């Protein structure tokens, strides 16, 4: 007999408004305890000094995390001019100083260079692996870390405000893999003014927005309340993360085949016009993530949801 998993079979997404301080892993652990869930994970790390949207997957929703990692993200961040740091944020040691304080017009004039596909070198203090080891671990050990540039895409970028000569607030929408800290550093260099990120907030992650988010402490406090009005109120269906892929209703027999890991043929006059990833559902409930190829649904991730 297999060992019984600790916790409840809770499945779904929770949109957490992460505060300053805790790591993303800290947030996941607190959410798992608040829901007494068997399994939990997150889609896209936020640094301890960052706040905002951190989607946390519970139970079977963890199987949809890859779709969220690839999702578009939006950030609001503040640049501080006058210094570059080892970490490209306010936590690092100053490495370069500059007396230059660009005007709003000067900042707006160079933003077009940073829109579309751009080459970006990640910060030395990042989770990028170098010879099997995280870059930040090598950097903390005093090693000089050299990372290769990578292609990322900035869909939109705009100057929002300039509170004073030393600070500028910007908003961006970007692809996965984008480092806002690197972006701020590179914008500063393009302006001839050393710069780093002094504040960072994620405002959107795929379908999840600030409107749907609940502060971490508030959500954890609800763990002591009855389920009807406790944290379960804020649990979103696992298919919320799959808004961008088509869904297809299947029969009970076909649902059973998919759950057994078997393919389902959909050929003939009534076959749907589909390609790629498809969410198979039965009576409105998610059955499996599938790939539709040559007239067949092939299960990739099967959902084992409690009825």
């Amino acid at each position: 007999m297999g060992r019984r998993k600790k916790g409840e079979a809770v499945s779904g997404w929770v949109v957490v408004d992460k505060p300053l301080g805790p790591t993303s892993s800290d947030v996941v652990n607190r959410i798992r305890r608040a829901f007494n869930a068997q399994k939990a994970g997150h889609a896209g790390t936020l640094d301890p000094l960052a706040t905002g949207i951190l989607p946390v997957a519970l139970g079977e929703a963890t199987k949809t995390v890859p779709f969220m990692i690839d999702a578009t993200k939006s950030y609001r961040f503040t640049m501080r001019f006058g210094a570059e740091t080892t970490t490209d944020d306010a936590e690092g040691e100053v490495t370069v100083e500059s007396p230059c304080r660009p005007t709003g017009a000067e900042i707006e004039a160079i933003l077009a260079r940073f829109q579309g596909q751009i080459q970006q070198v990640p910060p030395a203090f990042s989770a990028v692996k170098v010879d099997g080891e995280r870059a930040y671990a090598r950097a903390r050990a005093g090693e000089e870390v050299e990372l290769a540039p990578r292609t990322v895409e900035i869909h939109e970028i705009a100057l929002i405000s300039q509170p004073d000569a030393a600070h500028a607030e910007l908003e961006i929408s970007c692809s996965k893999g984008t480092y806002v800290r690197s972006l701020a550093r590179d914008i500063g260099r393009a302006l001839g003014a050393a710069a780093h990120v002094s504040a960072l907030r994620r405002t959107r992650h795929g379908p999840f927005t600030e409107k749907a988010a609940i502060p971490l402490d508030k959500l954890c406090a609800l763990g002591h309340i009855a389920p009807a009005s406790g944290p379960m109120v804020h649990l979103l269906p696992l298919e919320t993360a799959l808004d961008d892929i088509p869904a297809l209703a299947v029969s009970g027999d076909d649902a059973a085949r998919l759950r057994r890991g078997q393919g389902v043929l959909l050929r003939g006059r009534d076959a749907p016009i589909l390609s790629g990833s498809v969410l198979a559902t039965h009576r409105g409930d998610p059955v499996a993530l599938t790939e539709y190829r040559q007239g067949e649904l092939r299960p990739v991730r099967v959902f084992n949801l409690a009825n």
Side-chain angles (χ1 to χ4, degrees):
M1 180 179 293
R3 181 180 296 178
R4 188 172 182 270
K5 293 182 179 178
K6 294 182 179 179
E8 303 294 330
V10 179
S11 293
W13 282 93
V14 185
V15 188
V16 179
D17 190 335
K18 178 193 168 301
L20 282 170
T23 65
S24 296
S25 294
D26 292 336
V27 173
V28 169
N29 289 333
R30 290 183 64 181
I31 295 301
R32 183 180 54 77
R33 289 194 295 270
F35 282 84
N36 190 29
Q38 293 175 352
K39 185 166 53 175
H42 67 79
T45 301
L46 276 179
D47 294 333
L49 292 182
T51 66
I53 304 299
L54 182 67
V56 177
L58 300 177
E60 293 296 284
T62 57
K63 295 176 181 178
T64 67
V65 163
F67 287 86
M68 288 304 302
I69 289 175
D70 290 341
T72 296
K73 303 171 182 67
S74 296
Y75 296 90
R76 184 167 59 250
F77 65 99
T78 301
M79 294 176 56
R80 185 182 186 281
F81 296 107
E84 280 191 20
T85 69
T86 51
T87 57
D88 296 320
D89 62 20
E91 196 172 37
E93 296 178 3
V94 174
T95 56
V96 177
E97 292 185 284
S98 168
C100 181
R101 301 293 184 269
T103 65
E106 290 171 331
I107 296 170
E108 289 183 322
I110 59 96
L111 292 185
R113 299 188 206 174
F114 297 93
Q115 190 159 342
Q117 289 193 344
I118 64 171
Q119 291 288 297
Q120 184 183 78
V121 176
F125 284 79
S126 65
V128 176
K129 285 191 174 181
V130 179
D131 296 329
E133 189 174 5
R134 300 293 185 187
Y136 63 72
R138 289 174 173 265
R140 286 172 182 165
E143 294 184 35
E144 187 171 333
V145 179
E146 290 189 14
L147 298 174
R150 54 174 61 185
T151 301
V152 299
E153 186 165 6
I154 309 298
H155 306 300
E156 295 180 36
I157 182 168
L159 176 66
I160 302 303
S161 68
Q162 196 170 17
D164 54 53
H167 296 86
E169 186 179 27
L170 293 88
E171 284 187 348
I172 65 166
S173 173
C174 59
S175 68
K176 71 172 183 178
T178 302
Y179 278 94
V180 178
R181 288 179 289 150
S182 293
L183 183 64
R185 176 199 67 209
D186 294 343
I187 290 174
R189 289 177 179 176
L191 290 163
H196 63 270
V197 169
S198 61
L200 172 62
R201 180 172 178 79
R202 185 189 286 159
T203 56
R204 183 170 71 90
H205 187 146
F208 302 126
T209 65
E210 290 177 296
K211 186 176 179 180
I214 179 171
L216 176 64
D217 289 343
K218 181 178 179 180
L219 184 60
C220 291
L222 293 176
H224 306 290
I225 301 175
S229 56
M232 294 298 289
V233 172
H234 299 278
L235 187 68
L236 301 175
L238 68 81
E239 58 267 34
T240 308
L242 306 174
D243 282 353
D244 291 338
I245 73 170
L248 178 68
V250 298
S251 67
D253 289 343
D254 287 345
R257 287 183 61 83
L258 291 171
R259 290 189 177 107
R260 292 195 297 268
Q262 299 171 330
V264 172
L265 289 174
L266 299 175
R267 292 172 181 160
R269 289 178 57 188
D270 298 326
I273 302 174
L274 297 169
S275 64
S277 298
V278 176
L279 172 64
T281 67
H282 177 59
R283 294 180 178 176
D285 294 325
V287 174
L289 277 169
T290 69
E291 284 290 323
Y292 186 63
R293 296 178 184 172
Q294 299 177 329
E296 184 181 23
L297 284 179
R298 301 175 185 176
V300 177
R301 291 283 189 274
V302 175
F303 300 120
N304 301 305
L305 297 170
N307 296 322

